[in-house]
Amino acid sequence: MKEVLMINVDELWLKGKNRPQYFRAIKSHLKDLFKKSHGVSTTIINVNQRLVATSEKAFARDIQDRIINVPGVHSICLAEMAPLDLEEASKIAIAQLDKMESFPKTFKVTCKRINKQFDMRSMDAAREMGAILLRHYDGTENALKVDVRKPQVFVDLKIHRDGIYVSTEKRLAIGGLPWGTSGHLVTMLSGGFDSPIASYMMARRGCKQTFVFFYAYPYVGEEVKEKLLDMASKLGEFQRGSKIYIVPFGDLQDLIAKSCKEEYRTLLFRRIMVECSTELASRIKASALLTGDALGQVSSQTLENISYIDRVSKLPIFRPLIGFNKIEIVNMSKVAGTHDISVRPHDDACSLFAPKHPVIRPDLEYLKEFESSFKYEDAVKNAVDRSEIYAISSIGEVKLVSDPIE
Ligand code: ATP
Ligand code: MG
């Protein structure tokens, strides 16, 4: 019996003439994963805008778990192929249902007839299959009922030229657009809940990302770095290969703390982080920055402070969480798989330097004055030069590629 993995794409149907380019991107991401996680060679073909993967070996849960994290994939289902005959197809459906951990009470058959030579229309084939299954289980302890609105199980048939693909388990994936088709961002990653979710959301929108963490070395311990590397490894699973730059930030924090009014420290730390991220973006040809800001969440995220940062930033700053409540972000982190890393406690150098009363409505005149006297260009370049850089593979392997910090 031939087993295939059906990979349904998400928004690619919206695309016009450039659709092949999107398919190429998603296919190459999938191929990379199969190569790293599945072991044996896998063929992926496009059948009516659906990707069908076949290989010599069964598709283990592990590779399926990875594929549902590929941006652009809407859902997957493991299907087995029957000859072009509904009775034969029903045997497969029954075997799959019987194997289920908890037997369903209700089901619905869905059917798509791609092969127009098949002598039954989709609706009729679905109805017929439903009738066969009802008959089969009738009077047994597993008596089934049809529920077209909220069935516990979908029995899905895809009638192709070479046979009928039958599947009873569909898993939803993260959806959106394939990796790299929406440009390259520098993602400012801190240790909390927000920035990883910002990254997750923009990964779904097809953004390639390079992560940057401002490491308040020597004011915080090594565990912070470990935490960030674990987070980058997790977020790397939504990328087709990425990097994290650990930028030494202690010297810059010192410099700012000495040069500005105390209440402006947090805002100006953020401003210099943006400056360093912009410098990094120009080196790696990224075209925008990404942060986990949510309006009003903390003092540096008041409308006035965000406006100031935007005014001085040379690159657009994406803030996908701007209108989200914290609880929504925490809930999303459970879905994205970042929650258990975010929840780990870590030292935060910003609080070490934190003013008692951080500015909420900055005096723009003061900031202008500060900007004209504070020369930070060399310090910014120097900090980025001293970054420790790690590569992250599509399955989350982290490897040091450059370590100049001191
Ligand atoms: P998180 O956003 O990860 O939950 P947080 O809420 O503690 O952490 P804030 O102080 O709210 O972070 O900072 C707002 C945004 O600024 C973060 O979402 C992140 O994008 C960026 N940022 C803050 N600190 C750092 C840092 N040390 N390195 C990189 N980016 C940072
Ligand atoms: Mg935050």
Side-chain angles (χ1 to χ4, degrees):
M1 201 171 297
K2 194 169 144 200
E3 184 193 73
V4 302
L5 192 64
M6 299 260 194
I7 303 170
N8 304 309
V9 297
D10 193 18
E11 290 182 23
L12 275 53
W13 51 270
L14 291 173
K15 303 292 159 197
K17 283 210 186 81
N18 51 1
R19 198 186 290 163
Q21 181 196 329
Y22 285 79
F23 266 107
R24 269 198 300 280
I26 201 167
K27 260 172 101 169
S28 89
H29 194 162
L30 291 167
K31 283 210 152 151
D32 179 58
L33 280 184
F34 280 122
K35 198 163 148 210
K36 291 198 168 85
S37 280
H38 190 51
V40 303
S41 106
T42 308
T43 315
I44 306 173
I45 51 166
N46 182 338
V47 184
N48 289 63
Q49 314 302 330
R50 184 173 291 112
L51 297 172
V52 179
T54 46
S55 94
E56 304 277 292
K57 197 172 104 182
F59 294 104
R61 191 74 182 179
D62 175 57
I63 181 72
Q64 295 180 43
D65 289 346
R66 294 198 182 282
I67 290 176
I68 58 173
N69 283 339
V70 171
V73 173
H74 169 272
S75 55
I76 61 168
C77 49
L78 206 54
E80 287 166 273
M81 194 170 78
L84 284 164
D85 176 276
L86 282 180
E87 281 293 340
E88 292 295 325
S90 73
K91 287 182 194 157
I92 292 181
I94 288 164
Q96 290 179 354
L97 289 170
D98 288 345
K99 254 197 287 180
M100 287 189 169
E101 249 168 54
S102 71
F103 197 84
K105 291 196 165 48
T106 59
F107 77 111
K108 175 184 175 175
V109 181
T110 52
C111 176
K112 198 158 190 146
R113 183 181 60 146
I114 291 119
N115 170 6
K116 301 293 178 208
Q117 315 293 321
F118 190 76
D119 60 2
M120 249 176 164
R121 293 156 59 134
S122 301
M123 284 270 279
D124 299 331
R127 203 170 296 131
E128 174 67 19
M129 175 61 94
I132 297 174
L133 294 178
L134 286 173
R135 265 200 313 273
H136 177 83
Y137 288 106
D138 188 30
T140 73
E141 58 180 288
N142 287 337
L144 274 171
K145 264 201 208 136
V146 174
D147 181 345
V148 289
R149 280 162 177 249
K150 251 189 152 183
Q152 286 171 352
V153 161
F154 284 93
V155 175
D156 185 64
L157 308 177
K158 299 265 182 316
I159 306 176
H160 284 241
R161 238 183 356 185
D162 50 346
I164 304 178
Y165 290 100
V166 186
S167 66
T168 45
E169 196 197 350
K170 185 179 198 163
R171 295 179 69 190
L172 282 181
I174 72 169
L177 293 169
W179 178 83
T181 58
S182 300
H184 186 179
L185 305 177
V186 168
T187 301
M188 296 168 61
L189 200 60
S190 53
F193 279 94
D194 309 320
S195 44
I197 294 309
S199 166
Y200 171 75
M201 289 174 77
M202 297 315 284
R204 296 191 310 186
R205 297 317 300 150
C207 289
K208 166 180 170 169
Q209 295 173 37
T210 298
F211 303 101
V212 61
F213 170 57
F214 295 98
Y215 181 35
Y217 177 82
Y219 301 109
V220 295
E222 286 267 323
E223 332 76 66
V224 188
K225 200 167 85 182
E226 291 306 314
K227 180 175 183 181
L228 265 291
L229 290 179
D230 288 348
M231 186 57 89
S233 157
K234 180 74 221 160
L235 295 170
E237 293 177 13
F238 308 114
Q239 301 282 315
R240 218 213 107 170
S242 177
K243 283 197 176 122
I244 179 164
Y245 284 65
I246 312 274
V247 179
F249 200 59
D251 296 350
L252 274 166
Q253 279 184 302
D254 261 344
L255 188 67
I256 297 163
K258 273 193 224 126
S259 326
C260 72
K261 288 189 189 168
E262 191 185 315
E263 63 268 34
Y264 281 82
R265 277 181 192 168
T266 314
L267 179 60
L268 289 166
F269 289 161
R270 198 70 78 238
R271 191 240 182 287
I272 297 300
M273 284 183 191
V274 165
E275 206 62 46
C276 293
S277 306
T278 305
E279 169 66 21
L280 173 60
S282 82
R283 295 184 189 190
I284 59 173
K285 300 194 170 54
S287 31
L289 312 182
L290 173 62
T291 78
D293 293 324
L295 189 64
Q297 193 191 77
V298 288
S299 68
S300 58
Q301 293 162 33
T302 60
L303 188 54
E304 289 84 352
N305 282 339
I306 285 180
S307 307
Y308 162 65
I309 297 286
D310 269 8
R311 217 167 296 148
V312 291
S313 174
K314 291 182 203 79
L315 289 180
I317 303 176
F318 289 176
R319 298 180 176 90
L321 302 181
I322 198 72
F324 280 72
N325 297 340
K326 194 75 183 186
I327 187 74
E328 293 170 307
I329 298 168
V330 172
N331 286 341
M332 281 181 82
S333 77
K334 291 178 187 157
V335 177
T338 55
H339 176 276
D340 291 357
I341 305 173
S342 290
V343 88
R344 275 156 48 185
H346 69 275
D347 290 339
D348 178 4
C350 283
S351 52
L352 209 73
F353 284 90
K356 268 200 214 79
H357 301 289
V359 67
I360 288 168
R361 287 190 196 83
D363 173 358
L364 295 180
E365 281 307 312
Y366 169 72
L367 284 169
K368 218 191 254 170
E369 227 171 84
F370 180 81
E371 299 265 345
S372 61
S373 63
F374 185 64
K375 297 286 167 245
Y376 52 78
E377 286 81 359
D378 289 344
V380 163
K381 285 203 174 83
N382 178 265
V384 179
D385 285 343
R386 287 164 57 217
S387 301
E388 196 169 284
I389 310 169
Y390 294 81
I392 303 143
S393 76
S394 59
I395 58 168
E397 301 152 321
V398 178
K399 198 171 120 205
L400 180 69
V401 288
S402 170
D403 66 341
I405 284 188
E406 251 348 21

